[in-house]
Amino acid sequence: MSSRALRRLKGKQRGQEDLDLAELRVEEEEEAAREGEELEEQEEVLQPVRGAGRKTKRSKSQKNISNIYELIGDPDNDTDKSPTDEENVLTGRSHGVQKQECQPDMETTKSDSNEKVKKKKKKKKKKTAPGDVQEESTAGDDIDALLETIEKTNGLSHQSEDSGVSGHRPVLYVEHRNLNPENELKRYFGARAVLGDQRPRQRQRQFHRSTWMTAPKDTWPRFSKPGISMSLLESKNGLHFFVFEHSREYQQVQFRFFDAVESMDPNNIVVLLQLNPYHVDSLLQLSDVCRIQEDQETARDLIERALYSFECAFHPVFSLTSGTSRLDYRRAENRAFYLAVYKHMMFLEKRGCPRTALEYCRLLLSLDPDNDPLFMLLLIDFLCLRCREYASLIRLYEEWEVHRKLSQLPNFAYSVALALYHSSQQEETPPEESQRMKLKSDRMLQDALIMFPGVLMPLLDLCTVQPDAAVSSHDFFGPRNRIGQPSALSVLEGLYVGRCHSMWKEAGVMLWMEGNVGEVLKRVDSKDPFVEECLNKRKQGYQIVPRHIHRHVLLSEIKEATSALPLDVTAQPVMSYDPLPPLDSIASYTRPERPNAGASNESTLSLFFRSLLPNFNLQGGQRPEDDLEVARAGRELNQEVNRLMVAMRDMLANIQFQEPQRDDNPDRDEEEWD
């Protein structure tokens, strides 16, 4: 370091020091040695930075901007400037400088230089920080990774503190982000493939209320309050009971909707929707019409519009994720919300979003877990297997088995065993845990085959697997065993086989099934007491099917299950906007009776109807005794039809095809036909 620079740092002026050439020479030697040591230390500090950031060597003549002595003087030109500095010092000094005064000053300069080094390091870190952020933001299109990064920056991620937080959540926990199907599609295909050109168009989109379940579209009609609201009935034991309410104008629209349904003309519903674009029941009914006509896109769009209408009417206290909000299905105003969510869930599952569909299934189950009006327990296992949420299914079974007896349902008996098998085959499962889960899955599958033997043969048939001769010829899995079981059990088994047969088509799963079927046959032949116990349970426990199971079967539209429904369910008319309403329904308003518009004198049309129907009376309607006769005739007709169907069913079940006997004599002439 030059003497001029030292003098400036010490703050001394010229002419205040004694002139001593010997001391000056000693000071210059000490300064040169110290300067060399500082340069070596500085090169060691800056060497990794240079190696990481620069690939080419700089020439000696090029200025090093990372040198800490840059602010004081140019180190490359110190040799040129040193003679002039010494002359200035010799001519300008008038007082001597002692060594004791120079040493503390040098220490202060070192500390100042170290502080400058630290400041430059901080500046370099700040410069590299934006690049790191950009790399993290563009790490990938995985929406889960982006959301996790955002949660970490906001301090909302607690996974590092407690890895088992998900285990402490309720079994029916619902997350808002999982209600959006775009998040699941982004995980599969990437954000660019899902969003496409939607981002620029959002600037020109008109304002809509933010919602969780559906996103409003620009093609929808302008939203105005349709007349639906939600009110809080009561709160007790930490639960909040809500109900949807219809305004006076909405009730009038509802009455016109009933007239349109009775007309059996979908065009009347279309006209009603043109005047009231957010009438929920009309949207549900027209969605079914479009679905039957194979217009899936329009059907899904109508359901999403109905959900948006409901979500805009939510009470401020109503929560989709808390699990404390309840909706009574007995109230007619609440049923449309259940049906809209169910149909939206089924569209999501067909669209290839089983994880989002599982979240909506949990939502429906959390609205009334005790009664379960749509019996979502018959569906949640299938969705868990589809999206590979094996741990969630196993946990639900373990927590609810005590009070809900889930093992008495065929879908849980088979699906939980399958979930345990898949969990045991995962690579991240420890070997000991994998072995334990494999043994448990074997035991549960054998129990399921013994409890519900009627599932095996239809399941293998739909999987296009030819059973072994020892299995097909055994009476335990034969057709006789299925014929004698109750019709209620046939409905449950047909529902599971028709819905979940695709989950059993893997080669490894079939090999696992084959081994356990052999073990079951050994237990049956050895007269295991558990086999007799299950037989008694099947005969006594499945005599009456609850109404909400029939409602679920009708909504599922699975032919293996609907064909096994009893006649008292299929004979009555079923409206898609309200299938099988509860017998103890609660109606806040009733439809007024339609006035008779007949003339005083009988017209030609009334006479024509009178010729066809002798009991036809346009003026006063049917008489009470006529109603009794019609009811009696209807009951007799139903009884006769039931007897005919039972006889045909028995006849078809007892048909046995026998091959013609062949003559084993090879010497017989085939041309002889005596």
Side-chain angles (χ1 to χ4, degrees):
M1 184 181 293
S2 62
S3 301
R4 181 184 296 176
L6 287 174
R7 188 173 62 251
R8 288 178 181 176
L9 288 174
K10 290 187 289 187
K12 293 184 178 182
Q13 299 178 357
R14 296 179 181 179
Q16 296 181 358
E17 301 172 348
D18 296 335
L19 183 62
D20 192 351
L21 296 176
E23 291 182 356
L24 286 175
R25 291 174 182 174
V26 173
E27 290 176 1
E28 289 177 1
E29 293 176 358
E30 292 179 353
E31 289 174 4
R34 291 170 181 170
E35 185 175 359
E37 293 176 359
E38 291 176 357
L39 288 174
E40 291 177 358
E41 293 177 356
Q42 183 62 24
E43 288 177 358
E44 292 177 357
V45 172
L46 297 179
Q47 186 175 3
V49 178
R50 292 176 182 174
R54 302 172 185 174
K55 293 182 179 179
T56 59
K57 295 182 179 180
R58 289 188 176 185
S59 62
K60 292 183 179 181
S61 61
Q62 187 177 2
K63 187 176 180 180
N64 188 3
I65 59 175
S66 63
N67 196 340
I68 62 174
Y69 301 108
E70 182 183 7
L71 299 176
I72 301 174
D74 194 350
D76 297 333
N77 300 327
D78 281 348
T79 56
D80 299 335
K81 292 182 180 181
S82 59
T84 58
D85 293 340
E86 290 179 357
E87 292 176 1
N88 292 334
V89 170
L90 290 173
T91 56
R93 288 183 181 177
S94 61
H95 300 285
V97 180
Q98 299 178 357
K99 283 186 179 181
Q100 291 81 3
E101 295 178 356
C102 293
Q103 289 177 355
D105 292 336
M106 290 298 295
E107 292 176 357
T108 56
T109 56
K110 287 183 179 180
S111 62
D112 294 339
S113 63
N114 292 333
E115 291 178 358
K116 292 176 182 178
V117 173
K118 294 179 180 178
K119 289 181 179 179
K120 289 210 168 189
K121 287 182 180 179
K122 292 181 179 179
K123 288 182 180 179
K124 289 187 177 182
K125 289 180 180 179
K126 290 181 180 179
K127 289 180 181 179
T128 58
D132 296 336
V133 173
Q134 291 179 0
E135 290 178 0
E136 291 177 2
S137 62
T138 60
D141 294 331
D142 192 349
I143 190 63
D144 283 346
L146 295 176
L147 291 174
E148 188 175 357
T149 304
I150 295 172
E151 289 179 356
K152 287 181 179 178
T153 56
N154 295 334
L156 298 177
S157 179
H158 305 284
Q159 294 181 357
S160 59
E161 298 177 1
D162 186 8
S163 60
V165 171
S166 60
H168 297 290
R169 291 175 177 174
V171 69
L172 298 179
Y173 180 77
V174 178
E175 293 187 53
H176 277 139
R177 65 176 182 176
N178 291 332
L179 294 175
N180 187 0
E182 290 186 356
N183 294 338
E184 186 173 2
L185 293 175
K186 289 175 185 177
R187 288 198 297 268
Y188 298 151
F189 309 107
R192 186 173 300 176
V194 175
L195 296 178
D197 300 332
Q198 293 182 9
R199 292 179 180 176
R201 296 178 181 176
Q202 289 180 357
R203 299 179 180 177
Q204 302 177 358
R205 190 182 70 181
Q206 52 182 323
F207 175 76
H208 293 284
R209 178 177 175 178
S210 60
T211 53
W212 290 109
M213 294 191 293
T214 56
K217 300 179 181 179
D218 297 335
T219 57
W220 289 358
R222 184 178 181 86
F223 181 79
S224 59
K225 291 185 178 180
I228 299 180
S229 60
M230 178 184 279
S231 62
L232 178 62
L233 289 179
E234 60 177 348
S235 298
K236 60 181 180 180
N237 300 328
L239 302 178
H240 307 287
F241 296 86
F242 298 90
V243 61
F244 285 101
E245 294 180 346
H246 296 169
S247 63
R248 188 64 60 85
E249 293 78 10
Y250 193 90
Q251 294 178 14
Q252 299 299 323
V253 178
Q254 191 77 3
F255 299 150
R256 292 199 294 272
F257 167 73
F258 293 148
D259 296 338
V261 171
E262 291 178 356
S263 67
M264 306 297 292
D265 188 2
N267 294 323
N268 294 334
I269 302 178
V270 174
V271 173
L272 184 62
L273 274 177
Q274 291 177 352
L275 301 176
N276 305 275
Y278 288 92
H279 182 253
V280 175
D281 287 340
S282 298
L283 292 171
L284 296 178
Q285 188 73 22
L286 190 60
S287 174
D288 286 343
V289 174
C290 295
R291 182 175 54 82
I292 294 173
Q293 296 176 355
E294 297 183 356
D295 189 358
Q296 303 292 333
E297 188 67 25
T298 304
R300 185 172 68 246
D301 186 77
L302 294 173
I303 294 297
E304 292 178 358
R305 199 196 303 180
L307 281 178
Y308 181 73
S309 178
F310 274 121
E311 195 166 2
C312 291
F314 280 171
H315 192 274
V317 184
F318 184 81
S319 175
L320 297 172
T321 60
S322 64
T324 59
S325 301
R326 298 289 184 268
L327 285 175
D328 191 355
Y329 192 81
R330 295 178 301 171
R331 297 183 177 273
E333 296 84 354
N334 294 342
R335 295 175 204 159
F337 179 73
Y338 276 91
L339 296 173
V341 175
Y342 180 88
K343 294 180 179 181
H344 182 59
M345 174 190 63
M346 298 309 297
F347 278 123
L348 290 173
E349 191 272 329
K350 295 178 181 178
R351 189 182 175 186
C353 301
R355 182 64 184 85
T356 310
L358 174 62
E359 212 69 12
Y360 279 97
C361 183
R362 290 174 176 171
L363 172 61
L364 285 175
L365 194 55
S366 66
L367 293 177
D368 194 356
D370 296 331
N371 299 318
D372 194 8
L374 298 184
F375 217 97
M376 303 309 297
L377 289 176
L378 295 175
L379 177 64
I380 192 171
D381 63 298
F382 168 68
L383 296 176
C384 288
L385 293 176
R386 276 289 311 273
C387 61
R388 300 182 180 180
E389 289 286 335
Y390 306 127
S392 300
L393 178 59
I394 296 171
R395 183 188 171 195
L396 175 63
Y397 175 79
E398 292 176 351
E399 293 186 6
W400 285 31
E401 168 63 18
V402 178
H403 63 283
R404 298 296 292 268
K405 302 297 182 182
L406 298 182
S407 60
Q408 303 301 313
L409 296 174
N411 60 314
F412 268 93
Y414 281 89
S415 295
V416 175
L418 183 59
L420 285 169
Y421 170 77
H422 284 301
S423 300
S424 66
Q425 302 300 315
Q426 293 179 350
E427 296 180 356
E428 59 271 14
T429 307
E432 296 180 358
E433 183 69 14
S434 176
Q435 185 66 20
R436 186 188 64 82
M437 298 180 75
K438 179 63 168 58
L439 294 176
K440 187 176 181 181
S441 65
D442 293 342
R443 178 175 52 83
M444 290 196 66
L445 181 59
Q446 293 175 20
D447 294 345
L449 289 169
I450 294 174
M451 183 66 190
F452 307 104
V455 173
L456 179 62
M457 300 306 294
L459 182 63
L460 296 178
D461 187 18
L462 290 179
C463 294
T464 63
V465 174
Q466 183 67 28
D468 188 57
V471 177
S472 58
S473 61
H474 203 282
D475 293 338
F476 188 74
F477 294 111
R480 294 182 180 178
N481 197 2
R482 294 196 301 271
I483 293 174
Q485 67 183 9
S487 60
L489 185 57
S490 300
V491 171
L492 295 176
E493 291 179 349
L495 181 66
Y496 178 73
V497 171
R499 176 177 284 160
C500 298
H501 67 274
S502 59
M503 300 290 102
W504 296 83
K505 288 187 175 182
E506 297 181 12
V509 174
M510 276 298 165
L511 290 176
W512 171 62
M513 166 80 81
E514 182 181 0
N516 286 280
V517 168
E519 294 295 328
V520 168
L521 292 180
K522 293 179 182 179
R523 294 175 61 179
V524 172
D525 295 337
S526 62
K527 305 297 181 180
D528 192 335
F530 183 71
V531 178
E532 188 68 22
E533 179 183 352
C534 293
L535 179 60
N536 295 330
K537 287 182 179 179
R538 288 197 300 271
K539 291 181 178 180
Q540 299 176 2
Y542 299 92
Q543 299 298 326
I544 301 176
V545 180
R547 192 175 179 84
H548 54 299
I549 292 182
H550 289 158
R551 188 182 300 121
H552 178 92
V553 172
L554 290 174
L555 288 173
S556 67
E557 298 181 352
I558 297 176
K559 60 180 182 179
E560 289 83 1
T562 54
S563 60
L565 286 174
L567 293 175
D568 58 346
V569 176
T570 57
Q572 57 182 322
V574 178
M575 300 297 178
S576 59
Y577 66 90
D578 190 10
L580 293 183
L583 300 178
D584 54 348
S585 298
I586 301 175
S588 58
Y589 61 93
T590 56
R591 182 183 180 186
E593 296 181 359
R594 302 178 63 181
N596 293 323
S600 57
N601 297 325
E602 292 185 358
S603 61
T604 306
L605 183 61
S606 63
L607 293 175
F608 172 73
F609 281 119
R610 177 67 62 83
S611 63
L612 296 177
L613 301 174
N615 294 328
F616 178 80
N617 185 5
L618 183 62
Q619 299 293 331
Q622 291 184 347
R623 294 172 294 178
E625 54 271 15
D626 296 337
D627 294 338
L628 294 175
E629 293 179 0
V630 172
R632 189 182 303 109
R635 285 195 298 270
E636 293 178 357
L637 179 61
N638 288 334
Q639 292 176 1
E640 294 295 333
V641 172
N642 290 338
R643 294 192 190 97
L644 179 61
M645 293 299 295
V646 170
M648 292 180 63
R649 190 177 301 170
D650 294 340
M651 181 185 66
L652 294 175
N654 294 327
I655 292 178
Q656 295 181 358
F657 297 96
Q658 296 181 356
E659 296 182 359
Q661 297 180 357
R662 296 180 179 179
D663 193 359
D664 296 335
N665 186 8
D667 298 333
R668 187 178 65 88
D669 190 0
E670 295 182 356
E671 296 180 358
E672 294 180 359
W673 296 89
D674 295 337

